[in-house]
Amino acid sequence: MAIRPSKIICVGRSYADHARELGNAVPDQAVLFLKPPSSLLGLDEGISWNPAWGSCHFECELSLRIDQPLKDAGSPEQALAAIGAVTLGLDLTLRDLQDSLKKQGYPWERSKAFDGSCVLGDWVDASEIEDWQQAQYQFEINDELRQSGNTANMIFDIGSLLMEISQVFGLEPGDVIMTGTPSGVAPLHSGDQLKMTLKGKTQDFVWNTWVK
Ligand code: ZN
């Protein structure tokens, strides 16, 4: 199924260890921002950005595809039932630019919603996640482990997070949620070979891409 999402909703600071590594407070409600559909980049296209914008950080994130309309979910269970598929994605972030925008109190979109800032793996059926509270994934660059994610370490569990999101944004089939990144974020470099691995029920799912 290749429905173009009406929106991609991203969660910031959802892992306490990542909030701390950037010197941010651990939030008491979800930090949400959007990427437009024009931010999507295929795995086979190669990552690039304008070097004049400074460094581009990787943030590997468990990503959810909504397959049923969801608005004002009444419970975490109801919210979870709307997830049709999962994958891993990269929430690419122009960190120097973001730091400057944050300092000035401006919105983040220039640093996080630019063309090519959202790289998603292929979708796999949501049934591959046996337990939303213990989904595991990892991110490697040039065969070196850089990020290791487990949803057990999230500040808000996936069901509660999705319920809260649905109370702000009505979700339509095809919409994507990027659930935030664990610690380990750092700049990408030209030529880097990137590998995302999601531990599924029946197998490990692996997606590769690279930096031009
Ligand atoms: Zn992120």
Side-chain angles (χ1 to χ4, degrees), residues 11 33 59 61 91 112 180-181:
V11 185
F33 61 95
E59 296 189 356
E61 313 198 355
D91 164 21
K112 276 191 171 277
T181 199

mmCIF file of all heavy atoms in Angstrom, residues 11 33 59 61 91 112 180-181, ligand 1:
data_model
loop_
_atom_site.group_PDB
_atom_site.id
_atom_site.type_symbol
_atom_site.label_atom_id
_atom_site.label_comp_id
_atom_site.label_asym_id
_atom_site.label_seq_id
_atom_site.Cartn_x
_atom_site.Cartn_y
_atom_site.Cartn_z
ATOM 1 N N VAL A 11 7.665 13.061 17.017
ATOM 2 C CA VAL A 11 7.699 13.269 18.457
ATOM 3 C C VAL A 11 9.132 13.594 18.857
ATOM 4 O O VAL A 11 10.060 12.872 18.485
ATOM 5 C CB VAL A 11 7.218 12.013 19.213
ATOM 6 C CG1 VAL A 11 7.133 12.286 20.711
ATOM 7 C CG2 VAL A 11 5.878 11.549 18.669
ATOM 8 N N PHE A 33 5.928 17.848 16.316
ATOM 9 C CA PHE A 33 6.126 18.730 15.155
ATOM 10 C C PHE A 33 5.791 17.937 13.901
ATOM 11 O O PHE A 33 5.605 16.721 13.970
ATOM 12 C CB PHE A 33 7.540 19.304 15.129
ATOM 13 C CG PHE A 33 8.650 18.294 15.019
ATOM 14 C CD1 PHE A 33 9.198 17.965 13.792
ATOM 15 C CD2 PHE A 33 9.154 17.661 16.153
ATOM 16 C CE1 PHE A 33 10.224 17.035 13.693
ATOM 17 C CE2 PHE A 33 10.185 16.723 16.064
ATOM 18 C CZ PHE A 33 10.714 16.418 14.826
ATOM 19 N N GLU A 59 18.645 10.663 13.164
ATOM 20 C CA GLU A 59 17.820 10.258 14.309
ATOM 21 C C GLU A 59 17.009 9.069 13.817
ATOM 22 O O GLU A 59 16.070 9.240 13.041
ATOM 23 C CB GLU A 59 16.869 11.384 14.755
ATOM 24 C CG GLU A 59 17.582 12.624 15.277
ATOM 25 C CD GLU A 59 16.642 13.649 15.912
ATOM 26 O OE1 GLU A 59 15.409 13.435 15.872
ATOM 27 O OE2 GLU A 59 17.140 14.662 16.436
ATOM 28 N N GLU A 61 14.275 6.253 14.088
ATOM 29 C CA GLU A 61 13.030 6.239 14.872
ATOM 30 C C GLU A 61 12.068 5.152 14.410
ATOM 31 O O GLU A 61 11.872 4.945 13.205
ATOM 32 C CB GLU A 61 12.343 7.609 14.746
ATOM 33 C CG GLU A 61 13.338 8.752 14.965
ATOM 34 C CD GLU A 61 12.711 10.085 15.290
ATOM 35 O OE1 GLU A 61 11.472 10.189 15.254
ATOM 36 O OE2 GLU A 61 13.482 11.017 15.581
ATOM 37 N N ASP A 91 14.721 10.715 10.965
ATOM 38 C CA ASP A 91 14.271 12.107 11.110
ATOM 39 C C ASP A 91 15.534 12.951 10.987
ATOM 40 O O ASP A 91 16.199 13.233 11.978
ATOM 41 C CB ASP A 91 13.587 12.255 12.481
ATOM 42 C CG ASP A 91 13.432 13.711 12.904
ATOM 43 O OD1 ASP A 91 13.466 14.601 12.030
ATOM 44 O OD2 ASP A 91 13.282 13.946 14.127
ATOM 45 N N LYS A 112 14.086 20.647 10.067
ATOM 46 C CA LYS A 112 13.574 19.292 10.207
ATOM 47 C C LYS A 112 12.535 18.881 9.170
ATOM 48 O O LYS A 112 12.159 17.708 9.118
ATOM 49 C CB LYS A 112 12.938 19.125 11.602
ATOM 50 C CG LYS A 112 13.961 18.794 12.687
ATOM 51 C CD LYS A 112 13.256 18.387 13.947
ATOM 52 C CE LYS A 112 14.178 17.829 15.011
ATOM 53 N NZ LYS A 112 14.496 16.406 14.838
ATOM 54 N N GLY A 180 10.217 9.269 17.749
ATOM 55 C CA GLY A 180 11.313 9.852 18.514
ATOM 56 C C GLY A 180 12.525 8.944 18.569
ATOM 57 O O GLY A 180 12.443 7.748 18.292
ATOM 58 N N THR A 181 13.652 9.534 18.935
ATOM 59 C CA THR A 181 14.927 8.816 18.810
ATOM 60 C C THR A 181 15.588 8.582 20.160
ATOM 61 O O THR A 181 15.470 9.408 21.071
ATOM 62 C CB THR A 181 15.881 9.621 17.874
ATOM 63 O OG1 THR A 181 16.912 8.759 17.389
ATOM 64 C CG2 THR A 181 16.516 10.810 18.579
HETATM 65 ZN ZN ZN B 1 13.418 12.888 15.894
#
